Amino acid sequence: MAKSSVTGTILKIVGAIVSYFFPPAGMAIMAAGAYTDSAYQKRRARDEYNASLVDRYIMVSTYNSERSRIYGRARNVDGVVFKGTHGKNSRKLTMVVAVAGHEVDAIESVYFDDDLIEMDSDGVVTSDPYFISDSETMVETISSPSSNVLPLLLPPVGDVYVKLTVESSSGASSTVVADVISKSTAVGSCSVTYSQSNVPTGSTVTSAYVRYEYKTGTSYATVKKYLGTDDQDLSTYLATMFPDTITSAHKFSGIACLVVTLKYSEDVFPSSYPSVTAIIRGAKVYDPRTGVTAWSDNPALCIRDFALYANGGGLDSDEIDESSVIVAANACDIVTTYTETDGTTEERAMFKCNYVAKLSTSPESHLGEMVEAMGGKWGWAGGQLKIKPGIYQSPIIEIDESWLSDSGDRSLVSEYGMADMVNTYRCTIADESDSWNQTQLAALSPSAYVTEDGVELASEIEMGAITYAPQALHVAGINLRD
């Protein structure tokens, strides 16, 4: 879609659905004017975004649902783009679950329904109720241990029994039972530590006998992660399960996804298979300050990337005001101390962007959400997209009444209309402290503002790109002061 000029000062953006079935269609930003706001445009963009939240954690089978582009860190699922049964009596179900429509930096963790699952290095799910556990006894003999930390083959559970064979300086051999101080159950670095006080003075430990219980059982689920690189090829792996269906053409390249295999069990899956979502570290973005492309949750860098993204803003690089991006990026990186509701504090960047851009929604609404993450604004001026963060900036000129009229005749309106006034915000975010579930925060309602207006004038807003409560309330405060 070609870019064209548009009269007026309302920012306009035209978009198209980008799906897993149809090839990506371009989206172009078409705009004129400066930093302007339109109540209608704001409401329309907000409504579009809120509608997109409905399906954010719902896993559906689809071949042409919209793709998502993820910035920062967010929880998401796009849908099941392939599934089939296999194995003896078709008792296994394998699904390719798309979590983003592009290469991502990492898939950090996986949820079945609202349960964060645990997996080993091979993707075998080891958490209840998807793992029916049992335990067995393991015995190991370690010759000439180099220290009182004994490496183990498997993660120990429960009590560990350690018996040492020691040799005195005279060559006499004896055995002692050692007191266990601690144990490590980390996969790949399992160990048990015993007390040195059990070893007689002047004696050497020649061997250690260790007996312990380890967890065993049957897993009914495996999950393999794929980051969506251009050379990604799932066909070989899937063809082992579906030789009559999968060919070398079924690569699923460019799609960040999970391959989930579930083993039938009425006890584990009493009604249906779980909805699968993932916490994703999203797109890598270019930083004009350093010339490096890497993962970042800096809102200004995310906005720049989406504005240039072919299926997002669709701008050319010369249509970005890089100086405004750099100023905004620096402002977002300022380390500030946020205070939690329980009184604890955390030092972190002032503004972060953690966002899922569903590509069925207009680019305008996505840019609005990401700009909101830095309490700022975006606009089109001089043929370029410009962004401004929500920080104090020194005035460049003083405007007085002489700017209004040369004749001196003026008519002043003392107040905004009641419908346009806000003194209280009730913010809803995908709260990172609550598994990224939608959470409404305590209202931000400064008593001085309410007293001056004489009544509480509340507005409820979804902050789609903010996942940290103190940041959301800070941005709400910027909006109130604005």
Side-chain angles (χ1 to χ4, degrees):
M1 182 178 293
K3 288 179 279 293
S4 63
S5 76
V6 181
T7 59
T9 60
I10 297 178
L11 299 175
K12 298 181 179 179
I13 301 181
V14 177
I17 292 177
V18 180
S19 75
Y20 282 95
F21 179 73
F22 296 103
M27 298 183 182
I29 290 179
M30 302 186 296
Y35 295 99
T36 59
D37 291 312
S38 159
Y40 166 74
Q41 292 282 351
K42 279 185 172 181
R43 287 195 300 270
R44 182 169 70 89
R46 182 74 66 184
D47 289 344
E48 282 184 343
Y49 175 75
N50 290 345
S52 76
L53 289 178
V54 174
D55 298 328
R56 186 166 170 182
Y57 299 160
I58 299 176
M59 185 182 73
V60 296
S61 298
T62 180
Y63 68 94
N64 66 344
S65 70
E66 70 270 24
R67 298 192 182 202
S68 297
R69 187 163 181 84
I70 297 174
Y71 290 102
R73 179 180 282 103
R75 181 179 171 189
N76 188 58
V77 63
D78 281 356
V80 180
V81 293
F82 173 84
K83 68 177 179 180
T85 57
H86 57 98
K88 185 177 180 180
N89 297 324
S90 297
R91 294 177 66 85
K92 291 183 179 180
L93 169 69
T94 290
M95 304 178 290
V96 178
V97 182
V99 295
H102 60 98
E103 180 182 354
V104 300
D105 187 57
I107 299 175
E108 294 185 329
S109 54
V110 178
Y111 285 78
F112 282 2
D113 294 328
D114 271 334
D115 297 325
L116 177 64
I117 62 171
E118 298 175 0
M119 301 177 289
D120 65 16
S121 57
D122 295 321
V124 176
V125 177
T126 58
S127 53
D128 296 333
Y130 310 103
F131 186 90
I132 306 301
S133 62
D134 198 355
S135 62
E136 293 186 10
T137 301
M138 183 70 169
V139 173
E140 295 185 45
T141 300
I142 302 168
S143 299
S144 303
S146 58
S147 71
N148 65 325
V149 180
L150 306 175
L152 303 179
L153 297 175
L154 297 169
V157 295
D159 296 332
V160 180
Y161 174 83
V162 176
K163 183 172 68 173
L164 306 174
T165 300
V166 297
E167 185 178 286
S168 66
S169 56
S170 63
S173 181
S174 62
T175 59
V176 295
V177 176
D179 296 326
V180 174
I181 299 174
S182 63
K183 59 186 178 182
S184 169
T185 58
V187 176
S189 60
C190 316
S191 64
V192 62
T193 303
Y194 65 85
S195 173
Q196 292 276 27
S197 63
N198 297 111
V199 181
T201 303
S203 298
T204 302
V205 178
T206 57
S207 68
Y209 169 92
V210 184
R211 185 177 71 243
Y212 59 93
E213 300 290 313
Y214 67 93
K215 185 177 180 180
T216 185
T218 301
S219 176
Y220 287 83
T222 60
V223 179
K224 294 188 177 296
K225 304 174 183 179
Y226 295 89
L227 300 183
T229 60
D230 290 338
D231 60 354
Q232 178 174 288
D233 186 357
L234 275 62
S235 63
T236 302
Y237 175 63
L238 292 175
T240 62
M241 295 172 278
F242 306 100
D244 298 328
T245 305
I246 296 296
T247 71
S248 60
H250 300 110
K251 300 180 184 297
F252 296 90
S253 57
I255 302 172
C257 58
L258 306 169
V259 178
V260 180
T261 298
L262 308 176
K263 186 187 300 184
Y264 174 76
S265 168
E266 290 182 347
D267 296 327
V268 178
F269 307 107
S271 57
S272 181
Y273 53 77
S275 182
V276 181
T277 56
I279 303 298
I280 302 143
R281 226 169 40 234
K284 299 175 183 178
V285 298
Y286 177 78
D287 189 339
R289 300 171 297 178
T290 62
V292 174
T293 298
W295 178 84
S296 174
D297 55 8
N298 183 298
L301 303 184
C302 296
I303 292 165
R304 179 189 184 278
D305 182 89
F306 187 77
L308 294 172
Y309 180 46
N311 303 316
L315 295 183
D316 297 326
S317 58
D318 61 357
E319 294 175 297
I320 299 287
D321 180 0
E322 294 285 27
S323 61
S324 73
V325 172
I326 291 172
V327 169
N330 288 336
C332 292
D333 280 342
I334 295 173
V335 176
T336 188
T337 301
Y338 279 116
T339 302
E340 304 277 0
T341 54
D342 62 0
T344 60
T345 59
E346 179 180 349
E347 285 192 354
R348 55 187 280 160
M350 182 178 296
F351 300 119
K352 293 186 178 184
C353 173
N354 297 309
Y355 187 60
V356 178
K358 296 286 187 181
L359 298 184
S360 59
T361 304
S362 70
E364 175 190 31
S365 66
H366 293 315
L367 286 178
E369 292 291 338
M370 287 190 278
V371 167
E372 182 180 60
M374 63 178 185
K377 297 183 183 296
W378 68 277
W380 190 266
Q384 289 186 315
L385 175 71
K386 301 176 184 291
I387 60 176
K388 297 185 73 173
I391 61 170
Y392 175 78
Q393 295 180 348
S394 300
I396 59 174
I397 199 167
E398 182 176 340
I399 300 176
D400 58 26
E401 292 183 351
S402 66
W403 285 61
L404 301 177
S405 170
D406 292 333
S407 65
D409 295 330
R410 308 177 185 89
S411 177
L412 300 180
V413 178
S414 60
E415 295 182 349
Y416 289 104
M418 187 69 73
D420 298 323
M421 296 174 66
V422 177
N423 57 32
T424 297
Y425 274 119
R426 296 188 178 98
C427 308
T428 298
I429 63 171
D431 192 350
E432 63 190 54
S433 68
D434 185 25
S435 299
W436 276 261
N437 287 313
Q438 293 297 110
T439 304
Q440 186 174 76
L441 308 178
L444 179 67
S445 184
S447 59
Y449 292 7
V450 176
T451 299
E452 183 173 343
D453 293 332
V455 64
E456 182 182 279
L457 303 168
S459 177
E460 295 191 4
I461 56 173
E462 300 265 3
M463 293 184 167
I466 302 176
T467 59
Y468 180 59
Q471 179 187 340
L473 295 175
H474 175 48
V475 170
I478 292 173
N479 292 342
L480 283 180
R481 289 188 293 275
D482 187 44

